[in-house]
Amino acid sequence: MDEALLRGLIPGVIDVLVRRGADFASAEDAVQDALVRALESWRVDPPRDPKGWLVTASWRTFLDQVRSDAARRGREAKVAHEPPPGGIPQSDDTLRLYLLCAHPSLTTASAVALTLRAVGGLTTRQIAEAYLVPEATMAQRISRAKARISGVPLDQTGDPSAVLRVLYLVFNEGYSGELDLAAEAIRLTRQLASMTDEPEVAGLLALMLLHHARRASRTGAAGRLVPLARQDRRRWDTGLIAEGVEVLQAALRRDRLGEYQAQAAIAALHADAQRVEETDWVQIVQWYDVLVHLTDSPIARLNRAVAVGEADGPPAGLTALAELDASLPRHTAVAAYLHAKAGDTDLAADLYVTASRAATNAAERDHLIREAARLRSR
Amino acid sequence: MAKYLLLKHYRGGKAALNDVPMDRWTPEEVDAHLAYMSEFAARLEESGEFVDAQALAPEGMWVRYDGKDRPPVTDGPFAETKDLIAGWMAIDVDSHERAIELAGELSAAPAAGGEPLGEWLEVRPFLDAPPTVTE
């Protein structure tokens, strides 16, 4: 059985257990246990009814746990007999699971881990590997997160924007190791979008699809970062772009703008240009204006300065940049880029070197050093 | 097997053989250097000797406890004269000689003019867990 298909069953199975009276934390543990066993045994002997198998296996685990807890405490078992199998869970219940896992009382890292496990159906080991931490650490993070939300009823509405933020962060993590977090984030966002008609969910999905479409062209040999302007656009995935644009247009028609729709619109405008020279920078600046208005984010302002530099020329971009706090992350890198475009090569090279020292990841640092080297060897 | 840490320094070590800052190389030389580094790590994974590799940002500060009910005291960013670690590679190898051999190879990554960088790497053995049989 396809592992992604198996993962898709997990929230529904948790839900069946919860409806049978299990608390969320125990249900989630029991399902994780069944999932790990499924991954081992299904390769050789896949069941005819995978979901039924998971429900039965995790319910037994749950009962065993309750019984041994009860025995330890010298009390009678809370659950005396096995109730009838639960019905097909409603999408509402999976939606509630998303909200619970992104509960505002959780730290971001905990919400991400819990979402990947309970909604994403990933094992603790897979999540730990993806985030480069020991498995025991990730297990602890998840169990503390569950303890923290143990009092929160599953039907209590949470904060939908927190769910989007969690999914956005998972997507942005990209992929290291075997697990493709970007693809996982798309799967979860797609599932969420099928359960709600909130335009921002569609906006986030569109944003992910449009960025994912460019993935193959974003890195060169040995993980080298290839900036948008120099990407081989023939390698962009036109299928994903078409889907992203369609999802975005449907969202925009609802006339309830939000930050993800605005970001997706910018990505769509880039995707629309067959050659970098055809980029509609004037419209991109307009969308950045929308984004700045919606979020007041300094990062949006910084990216806007780059777009202004393209639309109205480097001096205009530098003027826009001058209005921003110089301590912003990537401020120096943007200055270097605009000065290079203005033909101020020596200054730009120096700025690239300075910017490389402030880079927060190795690929970006190497890219900035390479840009300095490129300018100096001209 | 014994674990060793190969430490790379931003500054504080002795000057490399081919001591030209990276932004003065050609972009192709930069690419060749980075490709060598990632191939080196891949090769050690292949041979079963790779443990971990990490790069550190140059920014940082000193921090220490400053008494009960007081926030920790900080000192920094680092002074320009401070010895500064740029990153490391941890390896698990059969012998001390093998650790030195690998450090030599890592130090030979191509740099300006395609010539080996020849930077000084600090090689530090890990302290092991106590053995079971001691008599």
Side-chain angles (χ1 to χ4, degrees):
Chain A
M1 178 177 183
D2 181 354
E3 208 175 301
L5 230 64
L6 167 60
R7 282 181 208 153
L9 299 173
I10 297 304
V13 177
I14 293 176
D15 196 62
V16 171
L17 265 67
V18 168
R19 284 179 200 213
R20 284 180 179 180
D23 63 289
F24 167 72
S26 313
E28 204 278 329
D29 265 340
V31 175
Q32 171 77 187
D33 188 80
L35 170 67
V36 170
R37 275 184 287 147
L39 286 170
E40 284 163 9
S41 65
W42 288 13
R43 279 184 229 287
V44 223
D45 183 20
R48 221 175 318 162
D49 173 13
K51 186 164 176 191
W53 189 101
L54 284 168
V55 168
T56 307
S58 48
W59 182 249
R60 276 196 199 128
T61 305
F62 169 69
L63 287 181
D64 287 348
Q65 190 56 44
V66 169
R67 286 192 188 112
S68 75
D69 284 355
R72 197 164 51 229
R73 292 190 222 110
R75 287 202 271 106
E76 287 214 86
K78 270 192 283 183
V79 183
H81 62 275
E82 200 164 322
I88 310 251
Q90 307 300 305
S91 59
D92 281 3
D93 299 314
T94 303
L95 188 56
R96 287 192 200 115
L97 209 52
Y98 274 90
L99 288 163
L100 182 66
C101 293
H103 197 269
S105 67
L106 297 174
T107 62
T108 308
S110 306
V112 163
L114 193 56
T115 299
L116 286 174
R117 205 169 99 146
V119 188
L122 294 165
T123 64
T124 306
R125 175 186 295 240
Q126 288 171 316
I127 303 167
E129 278 175 6
Y131 285 92
L132 306 174
V133 297
E135 189 178 349
T137 302
M138 190 52 82
Q140 201 53 29
R141 189 179 297 172
I142 290 167
S143 99
R144 289 178 75 103
K146 281 161 56 175
R148 184 163 273 270
I149 54 166
S150 63
V152 180
L154 197 49
D155 58 357
Q156 189 187 312
T157 40
D159 177 4
S161 69
V163 175
L164 298 185
R165 178 155 174 75
V166 164
L167 296 172
Y168 179 80
L169 288 174
V170 174
F171 179 76
N172 245 352
E173 194 67 29
Y175 69 129
S176 54
E178 269 174 48
L179 184 68
D180 186 344
L181 283 175
E184 204 55 36
I186 288 176
R187 184 177 73 79
L188 296 180
T189 308
R190 207 190 279 281
Q191 179 175 283
L192 182 63
S194 73
M195 294 182 293
T196 158
D197 56 6
E198 169 56 45
E200 273 296 83
V201 177
L204 178 60
L205 178 59
L207 175 67
M208 289 178 177
L209 293 169
L210 290 163
H211 277 272
H212 205 55
R214 303 203 290 251
R215 181 153 91 171
S217 62
R218 208 157 39 218
T219 43
R224 185 164 58 86
L225 219 62
V226 183
L228 185 54
R230 281 182 232 143
Q231 287 173 13
D232 179 357
R233 297 182 178 223
R234 288 165 306 179
R235 295 179 68 199
W236 289 0
D237 185 328
T238 49
L240 284 180
I241 290 174
E243 188 191 353
V245 168
E246 194 180 318
V247 170
L248 173 65
Q249 281 172 340
L252 290 175
R253 276 198 292 274
R254 306 185 64 100
D255 213 16
R256 274 161 51 212
L257 262 182
E259 56 176 308
Y260 295 113
Q261 292 169 78
Q263 285 188 68
I266 293 163
L269 285 165
H270 283 300
D272 202 34
Q274 304 283 319
R275 296 181 308 125
V276 63
E277 298 79 20
E278 293 168 15
T279 311
D280 187 345
W281 287 107
V282 174
Q283 254 207 87
I284 290 177
V285 171
Q286 288 168 356
W287 274 109
Y288 273 120
D289 288 336
V290 171
L291 192 58
V292 166
H293 176 75
L294 286 168
T295 63
D296 199 31
S297 143
I299 307 297
R301 288 178 198 277
L302 197 61
N303 290 329
R304 182 184 169 278
V306 177
V308 168
E310 302 286 355
D312 303 330
L318 286 164
T319 306
L321 186 66
E323 291 165 14
L324 306 178
D325 182 353
S327 67
L328 275 173
R330 293 186 51 244
H331 187 281
T332 311
V334 170
Y337 177 80
L338 290 169
H339 279 296
K341 262 202 122 51
D344 216 340
T345 310
D346 288 343
L347 175 59
D350 287 344
L351 287 169
Y352 271 126
V353 174
T354 308
S356 76
R357 292 194 198 116
T360 55
N361 65 76
E364 191 178 312
R365 180 196 62 191
D366 297 344
H367 167 70
L368 295 168
I369 282 285
R370 193 182 293 103
E371 290 298 285
R374 201 168 61 86
L375 291 173
R376 293 213 206 280
S377 62
R378 264 186 191 169
Chain B
M1 298 293 273
K3 292 195 179 67
Y4 287 84
L5 194 63
L6 313 185
L7 277 174
K8 184 184 167 74
H9 292 248
Y10 279 117
R11 55 175 190 248
K14 289 182 269 188
L17 282 180
N18 188 0
D19 200 18
V20 181
M22 209 177 198
D23 58 289
R24 306 274 169 183
W25 307 358
T26 69
E28 294 73 27
E29 287 161 4
V30 174
D31 284 344
H33 178 82
L34 297 172
Y36 182 95
M37 302 299 267
S38 81
E39 279 158 22
F40 184 78
R43 197 147 52 80
L44 291 195
E45 276 188 59
E46 224 19 48
S47 65
E49 296 173 309
F50 180 83
V51 178
D52 182 38
Q54 297 292 338
L56 297 175
E59 269 104 78
M61 58 174 70
W62 293 100
V63 180
R64 75 156 166 79
Y65 168 73
D66 197 38
K68 198 170 178 300
D69 299 327
R70 291 165 60 92
V73 65
T74 62
D75 181 19
F78 294 132
E80 280 294 316
T81 51
K82 191 198 170 290
D83 175 19
L84 198 57
I85 294 164
W88 67 76
M89 186 176 282
I91 55 175
D92 195 4
V93 292
D94 273 327
S95 64
H96 186 68
E97 290 67 36
R98 177 64 178 157
I100 289 172
E101 181 186 16
L102 287 175
E105 284 180 34
L106 187 58
S107 165
E115 294 298 313
L117 177 55
E119 67 180 327
W120 286 93
L121 294 173
E122 197 179 340
V123 178
R124 304 282 303 271
F126 282 49
L127 290 179
D128 279 332
T132 311
V133 179
T134 51
E135 69 270 24

